[in-house]
Amino acid sequence: MENLLDQLLPLLSALWWPFCRVLAMLTAAPVIGDALVPVPLRVLLALALAILMLPLTLTPGAVPIAPLSLAALAATLEQAVIGGVLGLAFHFSMSVIAVLGYLVSSQMGFSMALMNDPVNGNSSDVVSALLSILSIVVFFSIDGHLVLAGVIGASFHAWPVGHGYAPRLLQTVAWDAAWIFAAAMLLAIPIVFSTLVVQLGFGFLNRVAPSLNLFSLGFSVITLFGLLMLSQIVRFVPEHFIGMTNRVLDMLQRQMQAAGHG
């Protein structure tokens, strides 16, 4: 029995490191890390992927780590940080869609119509919810779940267990968060500008003929005009979502190549 435990303990410890990294990535990743996905399902998926990642961790050059030691605790935190940062990087594309929905709703007057969002656990507007559903469909249509599995597998080559990771990864991901607002504003500019023109037009008309009380009609016209512009812009959202995902992949690939050369 002791011999069996001596043989299983290295295998279980080798399974624990990829499990921590995969679970952290799935928790921070878009769609799979949402509150709508049950936690037991996410844990089982992380366990299945960790078993598949065993050949990447059980390599001849792997650093042996004692299971019950401070080094094991540090390695666990290290895997959680790497997986969380990788999942957070992929969450940027979804964040752009969420910011876009908020900007569009605030311009169209839909920001007052809030509903409970079971995915994020808070209240969101109708436009953001519809755009989020569209981005989820695009995520699975481009095999985003397979891309996540490929990235987590490649990360074990760039940052093996026990070898640490470069702080530049955290710095790059933090700095790349700035383009979330730029990309969302770039998509929302047509609707923001068009609704602003309509509001200015109604303001001038109300100034010329105040007896018409055009502001009571302006809300409906702005909403209809905003919906018309949204119908013209929404067809470009999948293309931009794919482009933003490719940008995240390029960023991660450069970091992995730099870590491999280092």
Side-chain angles (χ1 to χ4, degrees), residues 12 15-16 18-20 22-23 26 40-54:
L12 292 177
L15 181 64
W16 173 251
F19 173 76
C20 292
V22 173
L23 183 60
L26 294 182
L41 178 60
R42 197 180 304 140
V43 172
L44 289 176
L45 183 59
L47 182 60
L49 289 176
I51 295 175
L52 296 177
M53 302 298 171
L54 274 178

PDB file of all heavy atoms in Angstrom, residues 12 15-16 18-20 22-23 26 40-54:
ATOM      1  N   LEU A  12      -0.252  12.612  -8.687  1.00  0.00           N
ATOM      2  CA  LEU A  12      -1.269  13.553  -8.211  1.00  0.00           C
ATOM      3  C   LEU A  12      -0.703  14.968  -8.106  1.00  0.00           C
ATOM      4  O   LEU A  12      -1.390  15.949  -8.416  1.00  0.00           O
ATOM      5  CB  LEU A  12      -1.808  13.085  -6.852  1.00  0.00           C
ATOM      6  CG  LEU A  12      -2.629  11.797  -6.862  1.00  0.00           C
ATOM      7  CD1 LEU A  12      -3.043  11.413  -5.446  1.00  0.00           C
ATOM      8  CD2 LEU A  12      -3.857  11.947  -7.739  1.00  0.00           C
ATOM      9  N   LEU A  15      -0.539  16.399 -11.474  1.00  0.00           N
ATOM     10  CA  LEU A  15      -1.870  16.747 -11.976  1.00  0.00           C
ATOM     11  C   LEU A  15      -2.390  18.028 -11.345  1.00  0.00           C
ATOM     12  O   LEU A  15      -3.196  18.743 -11.949  1.00  0.00           O
ATOM     13  CB  LEU A  15      -2.828  15.588 -11.713  1.00  0.00           C
ATOM     14  CG  LEU A  15      -4.280  15.739 -12.179  1.00  0.00           C
ATOM     15  CD1 LEU A  15      -4.338  15.857 -13.694  1.00  0.00           C
ATOM     16  CD2 LEU A  15      -5.129  14.575 -11.697  1.00  0.00           C
ATOM     17  N   TRP A  16      -1.926  18.338 -10.143  1.00  0.00           N
ATOM     18  CA  TRP A  16      -2.443  19.500  -9.422  1.00  0.00           C
ATOM     19  C   TRP A  16      -2.028  20.808 -10.073  1.00  0.00           C
ATOM     20  O   TRP A  16      -2.826  21.733 -10.160  1.00  0.00           O
ATOM     21  CB  TRP A  16      -1.953  19.450  -7.982  1.00  0.00           C
ATOM     22  CG  TRP A  16      -2.261  20.660  -7.172  1.00  0.00           C
ATOM     23  CD1 TRP A  16      -1.391  21.603  -6.725  1.00  0.00           C
ATOM     24  CD2 TRP A  16      -3.565  21.075  -6.715  1.00  0.00           C
ATOM     25  NE1 TRP A  16      -2.045  22.585  -6.020  1.00  0.00           N
ATOM     26  CE2 TRP A  16      -3.380  22.281  -5.997  1.00  0.00           C
ATOM     27  CE3 TRP A  16      -4.846  20.559  -6.847  1.00  0.00           C
ATOM     28  CZ2 TRP A  16      -4.441  22.966  -5.415  1.00  0.00           C
ATOM     29  CZ3 TRP A  16      -5.899  21.248  -6.263  1.00  0.00           C
ATOM     30  CH2 TRP A  16      -5.699  22.428  -5.556  1.00  0.00           C
ATOM     31  N   PRO A  18      -1.228  21.681 -13.398  1.00  0.00           N
ATOM     32  CA  PRO A  18      -2.043  22.094 -14.560  1.00  0.00           C
ATOM     33  C   PRO A  18      -3.502  22.323 -14.211  1.00  0.00           C
ATOM     34  O   PRO A  18      -4.162  23.154 -14.828  1.00  0.00           O
ATOM     35  CB  PRO A  18      -1.870  20.937 -15.549  1.00  0.00           C
ATOM     36  CG  PRO A  18      -1.416  19.792 -14.750  1.00  0.00           C
ATOM     37  CD  PRO A  18      -0.618  20.355 -13.623  1.00  0.00           C
ATOM     38  N   PHE A  19      -4.014  21.596 -13.204  1.00  0.00           N
ATOM     39  CA  PHE A  19      -5.403  21.813 -12.799  1.00  0.00           C
ATOM     40  C   PHE A  19      -5.601  23.227 -12.270  1.00  0.00           C
ATOM     41  O   PHE A  19      -6.599  23.887 -12.598  1.00  0.00           O
ATOM     42  CB  PHE A  19      -5.797  20.786 -11.732  1.00  0.00           C
ATOM     43  CG  PHE A  19      -7.150  21.030 -11.128  1.00  0.00           C
ATOM     44  CD1 PHE A  19      -8.299  20.711 -11.840  1.00  0.00           C
ATOM     45  CD2 PHE A  19      -7.274  21.584  -9.863  1.00  0.00           C
ATOM     46  CE1 PHE A  19      -9.559  20.945 -11.289  1.00  0.00           C
ATOM     47  CE2 PHE A  19      -8.517  21.820  -9.307  1.00  0.00           C
ATOM     48  CZ  PHE A  19      -9.664  21.495 -10.028  1.00  0.00           C
ATOM     49  N   CYS A  20      -4.667  23.722 -11.469  1.00  0.00           N
ATOM     50  CA  CYS A  20      -4.779  25.079 -10.930  1.00  0.00           C
ATOM     51  C   CYS A  20      -4.719  26.109 -12.049  1.00  0.00           C
ATOM     52  O   CYS A  20      -5.496  27.070 -12.067  1.00  0.00           O
ATOM     53  CB  CYS A  20      -3.662  25.328  -9.918  1.00  0.00           C
ATOM     54  SG  CYS A  20      -3.797  24.362  -8.412  1.00  0.00           S
ATOM     55  N   VAL A  22      -5.405  25.677 -15.334  1.00  0.00           N
ATOM     56  CA  VAL A  22      -6.566  25.583 -16.224  1.00  0.00           C
ATOM     57  C   VAL A  22      -7.812  26.126 -15.535  1.00  0.00           C
ATOM     58  O   VAL A  22      -8.610  26.853 -16.146  1.00  0.00           O
ATOM     59  CB  VAL A  22      -6.767  24.125 -16.675  1.00  0.00           C
ATOM     60  CG1 VAL A  22      -8.061  23.983 -17.461  1.00  0.00           C
ATOM     61  CG2 VAL A  22      -5.592  23.657 -17.517  1.00  0.00           C
ATOM     62  N   LEU A  23      -7.998  25.790 -14.257  1.00  0.00           N
ATOM     63  CA  LEU A  23      -9.182  26.270 -13.541  1.00  0.00           C
ATOM     64  C   LEU A  23      -9.164  27.787 -13.408  1.00  0.00           C
ATOM     65  O   LEU A  23     -10.207  28.443 -13.562  1.00  0.00           O
ATOM     66  CB  LEU A  23      -9.258  25.615 -12.162  1.00  0.00           C
ATOM     67  CG  LEU A  23     -10.481  25.974 -11.315  1.00  0.00           C
ATOM     68  CD1 LEU A  23     -11.765  25.570 -12.034  1.00  0.00           C
ATOM     69  CD2 LEU A  23     -10.402  25.319  -9.944  1.00  0.00           C
ATOM     70  N   LEU A  26     -10.104  29.185 -16.887  1.00  0.00           N
ATOM     71  CA  LEU A  26     -11.520  29.029 -17.207  1.00  0.00           C
ATOM     72  C   LEU A  26     -12.390  29.943 -16.355  1.00  0.00           C
ATOM     73  O   LEU A  26     -13.448  30.386 -16.800  1.00  0.00           O
ATOM     74  CB  LEU A  26     -11.935  27.567 -17.017  1.00  0.00           C
ATOM     75  CG  LEU A  26     -11.302  26.545 -17.958  1.00  0.00           C
ATOM     76  CD1 LEU A  26     -11.851  25.153 -17.684  1.00  0.00           C
ATOM     77  CD2 LEU A  26     -11.516  26.917 -19.419  1.00  0.00           C
ATOM     78  N   PRO A  40     -19.371  23.274 -10.639  1.00  0.00           N
ATOM     79  CA  PRO A  40     -18.933  21.873 -10.793  1.00  0.00           C
ATOM     80  C   PRO A  40     -18.589  21.512 -12.236  1.00  0.00           C
ATOM     81  O   PRO A  40     -17.632  20.759 -12.472  1.00  0.00           O
ATOM     82  CB  PRO A  40     -20.131  21.066 -10.285  1.00  0.00           C
ATOM     83  CG  PRO A  40     -20.831  21.988  -9.345  1.00  0.00           C
ATOM     84  CD  PRO A  40     -20.668  23.346  -9.938  1.00  0.00           C
ATOM     85  N   LEU A  41     -19.346  22.049 -13.191  1.00  0.00           N
ATOM     86  CA  LEU A  41     -19.037  21.777 -14.597  1.00  0.00           C
ATOM     87  C   LEU A  41     -17.686  22.383 -14.979  1.00  0.00           C
ATOM     88  O   LEU A  41     -16.899  21.756 -15.704  1.00  0.00           O
ATOM     89  CB  LEU A  41     -20.151  22.338 -15.480  1.00  0.00           C
ATOM     90  CG  LEU A  41     -19.967  22.170 -16.995  1.00  0.00           C
ATOM     91  CD1 LEU A  41     -19.880  20.695 -17.360  1.00  0.00           C
ATOM     92  CD2 LEU A  41     -21.101  22.843 -17.753  1.00  0.00           C
ATOM     93  N   ARG A  42     -17.408  23.574 -14.489  1.00  0.00           N
ATOM     94  CA  ARG A  42     -16.121  24.203 -14.779  1.00  0.00           C
ATOM     95  C   ARG A  42     -14.965  23.428 -14.154  1.00  0.00           C
ATOM     96  O   ARG A  42     -13.900  23.282 -14.751  1.00  0.00           O
ATOM     97  CB  ARG A  42     -16.147  25.642 -14.266  1.00  0.00           C
ATOM     98  CG  ARG A  42     -15.055  26.532 -14.831  1.00  0.00           C
ATOM     99  CD  ARG A  42     -15.174  27.928 -14.258  1.00  0.00           C
ATOM    100  NE  ARG A  42     -16.494  28.472 -14.504  1.00  0.00           N
ATOM    101  CZ  ARG A  42     -17.184  29.191 -13.635  1.00  0.00           C
ATOM    102  NH1 ARG A  42     -16.680  29.425 -12.448  1.00  0.00           N
ATOM    103  NH2 ARG A  42     -18.385  29.661 -13.944  1.00  0.00           N
ATOM    104  N   VAL A  43     -15.187  22.911 -12.948  1.00  0.00           N
ATOM    105  CA  VAL A  43     -14.145  22.130 -12.279  1.00  0.00           C
ATOM    106  C   VAL A  43     -13.893  20.819 -13.019  1.00  0.00           C
ATOM    107  O   VAL A  43     -12.732  20.415 -13.218  1.00  0.00           O
ATOM    108  CB  VAL A  43     -14.533  21.874 -10.818  1.00  0.00           C
ATOM    109  CG1 VAL A  43     -13.559  20.891 -10.158  1.00  0.00           C
ATOM    110  CG2 VAL A  43     -14.566  23.179 -10.030  1.00  0.00           C
ATOM    111  N   LEU A  44     -14.956  20.147 -13.462  1.00  0.00           N
ATOM    112  CA  LEU A  44     -14.785  18.902 -14.215  1.00  0.00           C
ATOM    113  C   LEU A  44     -14.083  19.153 -15.547  1.00  0.00           C
ATOM    114  O   LEU A  44     -13.239  18.351 -15.975  1.00  0.00           O
ATOM    115  CB  LEU A  44     -16.152  18.253 -14.449  1.00  0.00           C
ATOM    116  CG  LEU A  44     -16.830  17.642 -13.218  1.00  0.00           C
ATOM    117  CD1 LEU A  44     -18.211  17.114 -13.575  1.00  0.00           C
ATOM    118  CD2 LEU A  44     -15.980  16.526 -12.624  1.00  0.00           C
ATOM    119  N   LEU A  45     -14.421  20.245 -16.195  1.00  0.00           N
ATOM    120  CA  LEU A  45     -13.749  20.583 -17.449  1.00  0.00           C
ATOM    121  C   LEU A  45     -12.266  20.879 -17.221  1.00  0.00           C
ATOM    122  O   LEU A  45     -11.400  20.455 -18.010  1.00  0.00           O
ATOM    123  CB  LEU A  45     -14.442  21.787 -18.085  1.00  0.00           C
ATOM    124  CG  LEU A  45     -13.902  22.250 -19.453  1.00  0.00           C
ATOM    125  CD1 LEU A  45     -14.004  21.135 -20.477  1.00  0.00           C
ATOM    126  CD2 LEU A  45     -14.669  23.473 -19.929  1.00  0.00           C
ATOM    127  N   ALA A  46     -11.966  21.592 -16.128  1.00  0.00           N
ATOM    128  CA  ALA A  46     -10.567  21.869 -15.809  1.00  0.00           C
ATOM    129  C   ALA A  46      -9.811  20.587 -15.481  1.00  0.00           C
ATOM    130  O   ALA A  46      -8.645  20.420 -15.864  1.00  0.00           O
ATOM    131  CB  ALA A  46     -10.490  22.841 -14.636  1.00  0.00           C
ATOM    132  N   LEU A  47     -10.467  19.649 -14.793  1.00  0.00           N
ATOM    133  CA  LEU A  47      -9.821  18.380 -14.471  1.00  0.00           C
ATOM    134  C   LEU A  47      -9.544  17.562 -15.724  1.00  0.00           C
ATOM    135  O   LEU A  47      -8.462  16.964 -15.867  1.00  0.00           O
ATOM    136  CB  LEU A  47     -10.701  17.580 -13.503  1.00  0.00           C
ATOM    137  CG  LEU A  47     -10.149  16.236 -13.020  1.00  0.00           C
ATOM    138  CD1 LEU A  47      -8.825  16.433 -12.296  1.00  0.00           C
ATOM    139  CD2 LEU A  47     -11.157  15.540 -12.122  1.00  0.00           C
ATOM    140  N   ALA A  48     -10.492  17.553 -16.657  1.00  0.00           N
ATOM    141  CA  ALA A  48     -10.287  16.816 -17.902  1.00  0.00           C
ATOM    142  C   ALA A  48      -9.136  17.417 -18.713  1.00  0.00           C
ATOM    143  O   ALA A  48      -8.291  16.699 -19.258  1.00  0.00           O
ATOM    144  CB  ALA A  48     -11.578  16.816 -18.719  1.00  0.00           C
ATOM    145  N   LEU A  49      -9.086  18.743 -18.789  1.00  0.00           N
ATOM    146  CA  LEU A  49      -7.991  19.385 -19.516  1.00  0.00           C
ATOM    147  C   LEU A  49      -6.651  19.174 -18.806  1.00  0.00           C
ATOM    148  O   LEU A  49      -5.612  19.036 -19.456  1.00  0.00           O
ATOM    149  CB  LEU A  49      -8.269  20.876 -19.677  1.00  0.00           C
ATOM    150  CG  LEU A  49      -9.389  21.252 -20.647  1.00  0.00           C
ATOM    151  CD1 LEU A  49      -9.631  22.751 -20.637  1.00  0.00           C
ATOM    152  CD2 LEU A  49      -9.074  20.785 -22.055  1.00  0.00           C
ATOM    153  N   ALA A  50      -6.679  19.163 -17.467  1.00  0.00           N
ATOM    154  CA  ALA A  50      -5.433  18.936 -16.732  1.00  0.00           C
ATOM    155  C   ALA A  50      -4.879  17.537 -16.994  1.00  0.00           C
ATOM    156  O   ALA A  50      -3.657  17.358 -17.085  1.00  0.00           O
ATOM    157  CB  ALA A  50      -5.675  19.145 -15.234  1.00  0.00           C
ATOM    158  N   ILE A  51      -5.753  16.560 -17.122  1.00  0.00           N
ATOM    159  CA  ILE A  51      -5.292  15.200 -17.449  1.00  0.00           C
ATOM    160  C   ILE A  51      -4.668  15.170 -18.842  1.00  0.00           C
ATOM    161  O   ILE A  51      -3.648  14.508 -19.070  1.00  0.00           O
ATOM    162  CB  ILE A  51      -6.465  14.212 -17.328  1.00  0.00           C
ATOM    163  CG1 ILE A  51      -6.933  14.119 -15.872  1.00  0.00           C
ATOM    164  CG2 ILE A  51      -6.058  12.828 -17.839  1.00  0.00           C
ATOM    165  CD1 ILE A  51      -8.167  13.263 -15.680  1.00  0.00           C
ATOM    166  N   LEU A  52      -5.267  15.904 -19.768  1.00  0.00           N
ATOM    167  CA  LEU A  52      -4.691  15.978 -21.113  1.00  0.00           C
ATOM    168  C   LEU A  52      -3.362  16.728 -21.129  1.00  0.00           C
ATOM    169  O   LEU A  52      -2.527  16.475 -22.012  1.00  0.00           O
ATOM    170  CB  LEU A  52      -5.684  16.659 -22.062  1.00  0.00           C
ATOM    171  CG  LEU A  52      -7.006  15.921 -22.309  1.00  0.00           C
ATOM    172  CD1 LEU A  52      -7.923  16.747 -23.197  1.00  0.00           C
ATOM    173  CD2 LEU A  52      -6.756  14.560 -22.932  1.00  0.00           C
ATOM    174  N   MET A  53      -3.149  17.626 -20.179  1.00  0.00           N
ATOM    175  CA  MET A  53      -1.907  18.393 -20.125  1.00  0.00           C
ATOM    176  C   MET A  53      -0.793  17.683 -19.381  1.00  0.00           C
ATOM    177  O   MET A  53       0.313  18.218 -19.261  1.00  0.00           O
ATOM    178  CB  MET A  53      -2.165  19.766 -19.463  1.00  0.00           C
ATOM    179  CG  MET A  53      -3.197  20.629 -20.138  1.00  0.00           C
ATOM    180  SD  MET A  53      -2.743  21.093 -21.825  1.00  0.00           S
ATOM    181  CE  MET A  53      -4.261  21.859 -22.386  1.00  0.00           C
ATOM    182  N   LEU A  54      -1.038  16.488 -18.857  1.00  0.00           N
ATOM    183  CA  LEU A  54      -0.012  15.774 -18.093  1.00  0.00           C
ATOM    184  C   LEU A  54       1.282  15.551 -18.878  1.00  0.00           C
ATOM    185  O   LEU A  54       2.371  15.700 -18.318  1.00  0.00           O
ATOM    186  CB  LEU A  54      -0.569  14.436 -17.599  1.00  0.00           C
ATOM    187  CG  LEU A  54      -1.328  14.454 -16.273  1.00  0.00           C
ATOM    188  CD1 LEU A  54      -1.860  13.073 -15.934  1.00  0.00           C
ATOM    189  CD2 LEU A  54      -0.435  14.973 -15.155  1.00  0.00           C
TER     190      LEU A  54
END
